[in-house]
């Protein structure tokens, strides 16, 4: 690569390039970057022009041009021509010193965290040789540092020379706070962060009053933990001690969020410190928390209130409170969560997104300032749980962004009993965030004021750039994983060091006493006040134990009993269908696609309304009635099987148009997004959104139904159990493509059996529709039913365009969803065998060549598998007076599908003495065959057995 000729160039141009290099090395051409990064001696020897440029910058104020000439002196007598002035000699040491200083500044910004004092227990930082001035070439001695102007180095700390600035630079990057920002790819963000960090803009000294309030807060945090441990010896509380300052940090975050216009802060966290957050951040009364502890000793404690006993342990429970801030009142929500660490992350982000979205108009305006999401992670789980990466990946996606989530790592420096070197392959638990261009602030948990400044910087960055930010609060765990553990068994040295270490409240109080802010007596009084307040609350609670109490509220009913009208007038559907076919003038969708969509006009008149059209009409009819809709999933805009086409693409410009968002009378928002290739976080996000938006119909569609098992934790812990554990439910609807069509084990089954196993106490609804009209009415019922429940739909693949599964306009304009569909063509008096089935296999049976000869066989369809239609099933079976056998037919293996979950219901419904038979695949470890030919053979066997007399009798 050729080298630029510095001597032959304009010095101002070279100075500009040098300035750009000092700010961002990658911003200058490679040959200049190579030049600037050469050793100083070679640089000065080969390019004396650059050396003169540096000298001139120092001499003339840093712009590379000569100083302004003084006014001309009065004319004088001509004098002899002056002798030529020799060229200034090159100061090799200064040139090399500037280059070394540039490297030193860069090292502090990139690697200063390696020398920072982040461990409250005093372990020495590893450091880095690049941070030691004397080890650079040339050695940056104090004398040389004093000759290097700080302005050449683009520093934001105070100081005229490097000698003046270096101590401040070291204090900034290597104190009890440290920063990792140089990995960020956006130049503007890096520059803003450098200026904010080095100027100390967000690390202002607290006033005396603020320091006293901070001490009071730390006293409350510590005092509550001490009281609980003394009063309930041996009970788990998952103390926050060692990370006490987390509570004041949350206080500050809430204040700043409110000041920026937020109406709600949504917090997600695991068990560590949760009780303290409930009391001091959310504002739950001490009595409520004490009642949870007393509940482990006497049932009176939990039944003496209207709420009654809870369905989960105390450190999983959520809560909501109203806090007063300097900017007004703000709602603080702590989301309920299971023991599965980090599972709540996408749920919280989804809740925040719902709060930020105005769904009352068709525009669905999203304002990130309205709500702030805060996620409190564990150090081991942040690095170890894949859910974290999936959630971080949502931060910049149009359909998922919350304008920046605040991630706070509660860093115990240990995971249960696992040391960091056994729990992650990275230096810091926070390193994962670097891959998502997220800035990271590390702070020592024994520096309360530094921790507050970290939050101020983090939220200022969020407000400026709208991105996630991570604050790594490095502390310790004063006790074991819980109060019943003995930490010294596995970490004896760490436990010993912690036992000797004063608490952060004690240290801060000592500092304030030494500074004359408070007296020792005042500090002790703050601690005593907390103990007295807790004792008083405890005594008041105990007095309620013997008092009469009202009966606790029972379960949330599965239905109001009111009829849900799902039919839509035919004229209304025609109008909506026409509006869905409109595109803007000049917009050019793919002509082949438009021909397909235009057929929907004919389908209204002639019949043949397929799945995609029925869904579109259901959605449109809800939107004009003011019901917001949000649907996401992998390839959802088009549909995995190319059936939806809700978003059109101009073939010339690539621009998008969504007809559903331009309905004439739409009174609510329609959101549709292709999701990332994720199930766990994507489904968790939609659960959180739906829980915070009970009026909305929120749908998540799997690419193939079996992929939903990637989100099994969300299904098990939130969707199916949330009602029983936390009295929390929603209208979240899962669309899971299901059906055996010869595509192998991974594209056949949506694992219906797993959902049926989780179904109890009317917690969810499960359906498998066989016509587009059934799906139309089901979707509308789900949105309009006053009693919200999650809905799981086994959606079809081959039936999407099957003529027999299509419907007419009359089917949509009249009727309702039918949980059980009888065989309308059956001769009831003649029928001796009743076949019951669900889903696609119905069409395999009625379309088989043997069907015509089986006149004594009736084929009925079970469309709603849970709650099971008990009365309808009994009535249907009573309608066949000559019945000799009932056969359940399914495509799935006998140990899968619906059979094992509904068999007892069928036994109850059938007449006495009539046997119940099973037809389907035998017990299998894998859902289906891997070869299409084997699949066809097995399907044919099943259907022939259903129509003949070779069914398996089940005893």
């Amino acid at each position: 690569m050729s080298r630029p000729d510095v001597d032959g160039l304009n010095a101002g141009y070279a100075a500009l390039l040098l300035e750009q290099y000092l700010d961002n090395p990658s911003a200058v051409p490679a040959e200049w970057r190579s030049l600037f990064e050469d050793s100083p001696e070679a640089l000065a020897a080969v390019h004396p022009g650059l050396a003169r440029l540096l000298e001139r910058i120092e001499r003339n104020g840093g712009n590379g041009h000569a100083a302004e000439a003084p006014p001309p002196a009065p004319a004088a007598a001509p004098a002899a021509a002056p002798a030529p002035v020799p060229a200034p000699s090159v100061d090799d040491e200064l040139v090399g010193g500037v280059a070394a200083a540039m490297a030193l500044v860069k090292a502090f910004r990139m690697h200063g965290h390696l020398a920072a004092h982040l461990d409250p227990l005093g372990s020495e930082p590893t450091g880095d040789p690049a941070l030691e001035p004397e080890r650079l070439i040339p050695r940056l001695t104090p004398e040389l540092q004093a000759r290097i102007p700080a302005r050449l180095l683009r520093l934001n700390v105070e100081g005229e020379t490097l000698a003046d600035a270096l101590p401040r630079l070291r204090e900034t990057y290597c104190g009890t706070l440290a920063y990792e920002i140089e990995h960020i790819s956006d130049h503007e963000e890096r520059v803003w962060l450098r200026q904010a960090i080095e100027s100390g803009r967000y690390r202002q000294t607290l006033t005396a009053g603020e320091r006293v309030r901070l001490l009071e807060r730390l006293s409350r945090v510590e005092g509550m933990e001490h009281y609980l441990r003394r009063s309930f010896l041996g009970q788990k509380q998952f103390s926050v001690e060692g990370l006490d300052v987390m509570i004041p940090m949350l206080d500050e975050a809430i204040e700043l969020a409110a000041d920026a216009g937020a109406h709600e802060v949504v917090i997600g966290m695991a068990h560590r410190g949760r009780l303290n957050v409930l009391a001091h951040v959310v504002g739950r009364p001490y009595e409520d928390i004490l009642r949870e502890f007393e509940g482990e000793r006497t049932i009176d404690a939990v039944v003496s209130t209207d709420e009654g006993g809870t369905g989960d342990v105390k450190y999983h429970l959520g809560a909501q409170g109203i806090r007063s801030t300097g900017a007004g009142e703000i709602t603080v929500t702590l989301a309920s969560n299971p023991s599965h660490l980090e599972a709540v992350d996408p749920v919280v982000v989804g809740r925040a997104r719902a709060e930020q979205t105005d769904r009352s108009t068709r525009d669905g305006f999203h304002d990130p300032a309205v709500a702030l999401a805060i996620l409190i992670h564990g150090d081991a789980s942040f690095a170890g749980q894949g859910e974290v990466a999936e959630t971080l990946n949502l931060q910049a996606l149009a359909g998922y962004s919350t304008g920046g989530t605040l991630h706070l790592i509660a860093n115990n420096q240990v995971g249960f009993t696992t040391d960091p070197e056994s729990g992650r392959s990275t230096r810091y638990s926070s390193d994962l965030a670097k891959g998502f261009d997220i800035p990271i602030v590390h702070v020592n948990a024994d520096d309360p004021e530094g921790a507050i400044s970290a939050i101020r910087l983090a939220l200022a960055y969020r407000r400026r750039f709208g991105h996630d930010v991570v604050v790594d609060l490095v502390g310790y765990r004063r006790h074991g994983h819980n109060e019943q553990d003995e930490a010294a068994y596995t970490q004896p040295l760490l436990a010993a060091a912690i036992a000797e270490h004063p608490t952060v409240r004690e240290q801060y109080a000592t500092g304030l006493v030494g500074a004359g802010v408070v007296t020792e007596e005042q500090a002790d009084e703050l601690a005593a006040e907390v103990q007295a307040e807790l004792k008083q609350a405890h005594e008041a609670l105990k007095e309620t134990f013997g008092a009469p109490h009202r009966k606790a509220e029972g379960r949330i009913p599965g239905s109001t009993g009111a009829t849900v009208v799902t039919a839509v007038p035919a004229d209304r559907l025609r109008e909506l269908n026409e509006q869905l076919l409109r595109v803007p003038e000049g917009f050019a969708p793919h002509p082949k696609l438009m021909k397909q969509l235009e057929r929907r006009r004919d389908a209204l008149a002639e019949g043949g309304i397929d799945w995609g059209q029925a869904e579109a009409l259901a959605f449109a009819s809800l939107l004009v009635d003011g019901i917001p809709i949000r649907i996401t999933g992998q390839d959802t805009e088009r549909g995995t099987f190319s059936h939806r086409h809700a978003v059109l693409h101009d073939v010339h410009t690539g621009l998008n148009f969504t007809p559903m968002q331009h309905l004439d009378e739409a009174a609510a928002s329609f959101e549709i997004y292709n999701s990332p290739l994720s199930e766990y976080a994507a489904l968790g996000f939609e659960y959180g959104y739906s829980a915070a938006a009970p009026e909305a119909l929120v749908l998540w569609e799997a690419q193939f139904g079996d992929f939903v098992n990637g989100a099994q934790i969300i299904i098990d812990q939130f969707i199916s159990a949330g009602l029983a554990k936390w009295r929390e439910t929603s209208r979240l609807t899962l669309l899971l493509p299901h059906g055996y069509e010869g595509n192998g084990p991974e594209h056949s089954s949506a694992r219906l059996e797993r959902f049926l196993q989780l179904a109890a106490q009317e917690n969810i609804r499960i359906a498998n529709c066989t016509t587009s009209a059934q799906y139309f009415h089901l979707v509308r019922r789900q949105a309009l039913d006053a009693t919200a429940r999650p809905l799981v739909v086994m959606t079809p693949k081959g039936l999407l365009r099957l003529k027999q599964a299509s419907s007419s306009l009359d089917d949509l304009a009249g009727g309702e969803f039918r949980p059980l569909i009888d065989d309308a063509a059956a001769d009831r008096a003649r029928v001796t065998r009743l076949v019951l089935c669900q889903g696609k296999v119905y069409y395999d049976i009625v379309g088989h060549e043997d069907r015509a000869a089986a006149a004594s066989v009736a084929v009925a369809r079970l469309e709603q598998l849970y709650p099971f239609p008990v009365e309808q099933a009994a009535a249907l079976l009573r309608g066949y007076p000559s019945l000799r056998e009932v056969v359940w037919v399914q495509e799935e293996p006998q140990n899968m599908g619906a059979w094992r979950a509904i068999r007892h219901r069928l036994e109850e419904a059938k007449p006495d003495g009539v046997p119940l038979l099973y037809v389907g695949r035998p017990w299998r470890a894998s859902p289906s065959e891997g070869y299409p030919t084997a699949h066809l053979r097995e399907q044919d066997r099943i259907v022939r057995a259903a129509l003949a007399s070779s069914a398996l009798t089940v005893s």
Side-chain angles (χ1 to χ4, degrees):
M1 182 182 296
S2 60
R3 293 298 188 113
D5 182 4
V6 178
D7 295 313
L9 291 173
N10 177 275
Y13 175 66
L16 177 61
L17 288 176
L18 176 60
E19 180 176 340
Q20 290 178 349
Y21 171 80
L22 293 173
D23 184 56
N24 180 14
S26 63
V28 300
E31 62 269 19
W32 282 93
R33 186 164 63 252
S34 177
L35 171 66
F36 294 147
E37 293 174 355
D38 266 342
S39 64
E41 293 83 355
L43 188 64
V46 180
H47 302 288
L50 182 59
R52 289 195 298 275
L53 171 63
L54 292 171
E55 289 185 355
R56 194 179 306 142
I57 290 174
E58 180 182 6
R59 187 171 63 249
N60 299 323
N63 59 12
H65 297 280
E68 184 178 348
V85 179
S89 61
V90 175
D91 188 336
D92 292 348
E93 183 182 41
L94 181 59
V95 173
V98 171
M102 290 160 46
L104 182 64
V105 170
K106 184 177 180 180
F108 270 101
R109 287 171 172 166
M110 291 190 68
H111 307 302
H113 57 88
L114 297 174
H117 297 275
L118 299 175
D119 184 5
L121 303 178
S123 64
E124 281 299 314
T126 58
D128 191 286
L131 302 173
E132 302 174 29
E134 298 278 346
R135 298 185 65 167
L136 299 176
I137 301 175
R139 295 170 59 232
L140 288 176
T141 62
E143 294 77 17
L144 182 55
Q145 292 179 33
R147 296 178 59 197
I148 300 173
R151 64 177 175 273
L152 298 181
L153 307 177
R154 300 296 299 274
L155 290 171
N156 297 287
V157 296
E158 295 181 354
E160 292 295 321
T161 68
L162 176 61
D164 300 328
L166 185 56
R168 297 181 176 90
L169 192 68
R170 182 177 288 109
E171 180 183 0
T172 298
Y173 286 105
C174 304
T176 52
L177 278 94
Y179 310 90
E180 292 187 88
I181 62 172
E182 297 300 322
H183 59 277
I184 297 174
S185 59
D186 186 272
H187 172 68
E188 182 185 0
E189 291 185 32
R190 289 197 310 274
V191 171
W192 185 92
L193 283 164
R194 289 173 194 155
Q195 292 172 343
I197 292 166
E198 293 173 12
S199 67
R201 187 187 316 159
Y202 300 102
R203 199 175 184 185
Q204 303 296 322
T205 302
L206 300 184
T207 66
E210 290 172 332
R211 298 173 93 180
V212 172
R213 286 192 292 274
L214 180 53
L215 176 61
E216 187 273 337
R217 204 64 170 150
L218 292 173
S219 299
R220 282 194 169 274
V221 172
E222 181 181 286
M224 176 178 167
E225 300 291 358
H226 286 182
Y227 186 88
L228 292 177
R229 191 159 52 256
R230 286 198 310 268
S231 301
F232 306 101
L233 189 64
Q235 287 196 34
K236 297 178 183 179
Q237 66 192 68
F238 294 101
S239 164
V240 76
E241 291 166 278
L243 295 166
D244 310 54
V245 74
M246 184 172 73
I247 306 304
M249 293 170 78
L250 293 174
D251 292 339
E252 185 70 13
I254 293 169
E255 284 287 339
L256 293 173
D259 187 60
H263 304 305
E264 181 162 356
V265 172
V266 187
I267 303 173
M269 65 182 301
H271 41 272
R272 177 80 49 218
R274 188 179 186 91
L275 299 180
N276 229 298
V277 170
L278 281 167
H280 298 131
V281 178
V282 181
R284 191 172 178 183
Y286 286 146
E287 290 91 334
D288 288 357
I289 293 172
L290 291 167
R291 177 176 285 109
E292 297 292 339
F293 280 90
E294 286 288 355
E296 296 194 12
R297 303 197 300 194
T298 168
I299 191 64
D300 285 341
V302 292
V303 300
S304 60
T305 65
D306 296 339
E307 181 183 357
T310 66
D312 206 346
V313 294
K314 52 186 172 290
Y315 38 81
H316 288 170
L317 301 177
Q320 189 173 79
I322 305 295
R323 280 181 61 133
S324 296
T325 70
E329 290 188 339
I330 186 171
T331 301
V332 180
T333 300
L334 178 63
S336 301
N337 69 279
S339 284
H340 294 68
L341 298 177
E342 308 296 343
V344 77
D345 294 356
V347 176
V348 166
V349 178
R351 290 191 72 109
R353 173 75 181 213
E355 296 297 341
Q356 296 169 349
T357 304
D358 180 3
R359 295 175 293 279
S360 63
T361 68
R362 74 174 69 192
D363 299 323
F365 180 68
H366 173 231
D367 182 4
V370 171
L372 170 66
I374 301 178
L375 293 177
I376 303 174
H377 309 271
D379 50 317
S381 59
F382 192 86
Q385 293 291 316
E387 178 71 339
V388 177
E390 289 191 27
T391 304
L392 293 177
N393 187 48
L394 301 177
Q395 64 143 345
L397 303 182
Y400 299 86
S401 173
T402 61
T405 295
L406 173 61
H407 300 270
L408 179 57
I409 299 178
N411 194 337
N412 297 309
Q413 304 189 72
V414 65
F416 205 153
T417 65
T418 302
D419 293 321
E421 56 267 25
S422 298
R424 61 177 184 263
S425 296
T426 57
R427 179 181 296 275
Y428 299 115
S429 60
S430 57
D431 283 344
L432 172 67
K434 293 180 182 179
F436 298 91
D437 265 10
I438 297 174
I440 301 166
V441 183
H442 305 279
V443 60
N444 186 316
D446 273 0
D447 180 6
E449 296 187 22
I452 298 299
S453 72
I455 294 297
R456 292 176 177 174
L457 172 65
L459 289 191
Y461 170 84
R462 177 194 187 261
R463 189 170 184 176
R464 175 69 178 80
F465 296 104
H467 295 169
D468 286 18
V469 61
V470 170
V471 177
D472 177 22
L473 180 64
V474 184
Y476 55 89
R477 190 183 64 197
R478 185 160 288 277
H479 307 285
H481 175 66
N482 59 61
E483 286 65 28
Q484 298 174 358
D485 278 345
E486 176 51 76
Y489 289 165
T490 51
Q491 278 82 26
L493 300 182
L494 180 64
I498 292 172
E500 298 295 324
H501 190 71
T503 68
V504 63
R505 187 205 68 82
E506 293 169 347
Q507 294 179 61
Y508 196 59
T510 299
L512 294 190
V513 170
V517 176
V518 296
T519 65
E520 188 172 347
E521 290 75 17
Q522 289 172 324
D524 293 341
E525 185 178 343
L526 288 174
E529 287 176 357
V530 178
Q531 297 302 308
E533 188 174 337
L534 281 157
K535 184 177 181 181
Q536 182 180 1
H538 201 173
E539 293 300 324
L541 170 66
K542 291 178 180 178
E543 292 178 2
T544 68
F545 289 174
H549 57 271
R550 291 181 296 173
K551 184 179 180 180
E553 183 180 354
R555 64 178 178 85
I556 299 175
S559 173
T560 62
T563 301
V564 180
V565 178
T566 58
V568 178
D571 289 342
R572 182 65 147 174
L573 292 175
R574 291 190 187 96
E575 293 172 2
L576 294 173
N577 192 67
E578 286 300 318
Q579 294 173 32
L580 291 171
L581 294 175
R582 292 185 316 205
V583 296
E585 184 177 354
F587 188 87
H590 197 288
K592 182 179 178 181
L593 173 60
M594 283 309 297
K595 288 181 181 178
Q596 297 175 25
L597 296 178
E598 289 289 345
R599 293 189 196 125
R600 293 183 174 181
R601 185 179 288 113
D602 298 332
L604 287 188
E606 302 169 4
I609 298 173
D610 64 16
W611 227 268
Q613 184 176 10
E615 179 188 78
L617 292 173
F619 287 170
S621 64
L622 291 170
L623 291 171
V624 296
D625 286 342
I627 305 297
I629 298 172
R630 175 184 168 91
I631 178 170
T632 63
Q634 296 159 13
D635 312 297
T636 289
E637 293 179 1
R638 190 203 74 168
T640 298
F641 309 102
S642 198
H643 71 285
R644 181 172 291 117
H645 296 290
V647 179
L648 306 178
H649 302 263
D650 190 298
V651 296
H652 302 302
T653 66
L655 296 176
N656 299 340
F657 178 74
T658 305
M660 198 76 69
Q661 295 174 342
H662 296 83
L663 299 173
D664 293 342
E665 300 176 41
S669 62
F670 178 74
E671 301 177 71
I672 182 168
Y673 298 101
N674 286 337
S675 76
L677 196 62
S678 161
E679 290 82 33
Y680 193 168
L683 182 55
F685 185 99
E686 303 308 331
Y687 174 83
Y689 192 108
S690 64
E695 85 287 4
L697 176 63
V698 180
L699 307 98
W700 179 82
E701 184 175 54
Q703 190 178 64
F704 286 91
D706 53 312
F707 292 172
V708 75
N709 59 16
Q712 198 65 47
I713 291 174
I714 297 297
I715 296 166
D716 291 348
Q717 303 301 325
F718 292 90
I719 294 174
S720 64
L723 180 63
K725 293 192 295 186
W726 313 313
R727 299 181 68 80
E728 179 177 283
T729 188
S730 76
R731 298 183 191 278
L732 179 61
T733 299
L734 276 59
L735 306 180
L736 310 179
H738 175 88
Y740 283 54
E741 297 173 357
N743 292 317
E746 276 71 60
H747 293 96
S748 297
S749 175
R751 296 292 187 172
L752 172 62
E753 63 278 359
R754 293 180 180 172
F755 293 97
L756 288 170
Q757 182 188 47
L758 296 170
Q761 299 176 296
E762 299 180 347
N763 60 334
I764 58 176
R765 297 165 182 151
I766 304 172
N768 190 349
C769 302
T770 55
T771 71
S772 59
Q774 279 283 90
Y775 180 56
F776 172 89
H777 291 294
L778 178 68
V779 167
R780 285 184 48 80
R781 188 187 74 172
Q782 177 68 358
L784 298 172
D785 194 330
T787 304
R789 287 291 187 277
L791 169 65
V792 180
V793 186
M794 302 287 115
T795 56
K797 294 172 288 182
L799 303 191
L800 292 172
R801 297 175 183 83
L802 185 69
K803 182 179 180 180
Q804 293 87 338
S806 65
S807 302
S808 67
L809 179 60
D810 289 342
D811 294 330
L812 276 57
E816 59 185 359
F817 175 76
R818 292 180 290 169
L820 189 62
I821 301 179
D822 201 353
D823 189 338
D827 183 345
R828 295 177 176 275
R830 188 177 175 186
V831 169
T832 59
R833 167 180 280 204
L834 175 63
V835 170
L836 287 169
C837 61
Q838 51 92 26
K840 181 194 73 68
V841 74
Y842 166 78
Y843 292 101
D844 293 340
I845 297 172
V846 298
H848 195 270
E849 60 186 6
D850 288 356
R851 178 65 181 110
S856 63
V857 178
V859 184
R861 290 165 276 175
L862 180 61
E863 304 276 295
Q864 178 175 295
L865 293 104
Y866 188 84
F868 188 88
V870 176
E871 294 180 3
Q872 294 97 319
L876 186 146
L877 269 73
R878 285 196 301 268
Y880 292 96
S882 303
L883 199 61
R884 296 178 184 174
E885 55 188 5
V886 177
V887 181
W888 173 257
V889 180
Q890 66 179 36
E891 300 178 295
E892 302 88 351
Q894 189 172 353
N895 54 314
M896 302 179 193
W899 168 245
R900 300 180 73 195
I902 67 170
R903 176 183 166 186
H904 68 289
R905 292 296 190 185
L906 299 177
E907 293 278 7
E908 294 168 358
K910 71 179 181 61
D912 292 338
V914 174
L916 174 63
L917 313 176
Y918 167 84
V919 170
R921 283 172 171 79
W923 286 59
R924 295 272 174 82
S926 179
S928 73
E929 301 77 21
Y931 297 98
T933 303
H935 159 77
L936 291 174
R937 188 182 303 121
E938 185 66 0
Q939 290 292 111
D940 185 67
R941 181 195 67 78
I942 291 172
V943 174
R944 289 182 185 277
L947 295 173
S949 58
S950 56
L952 172 67
T953 303
V954 179
S955 58

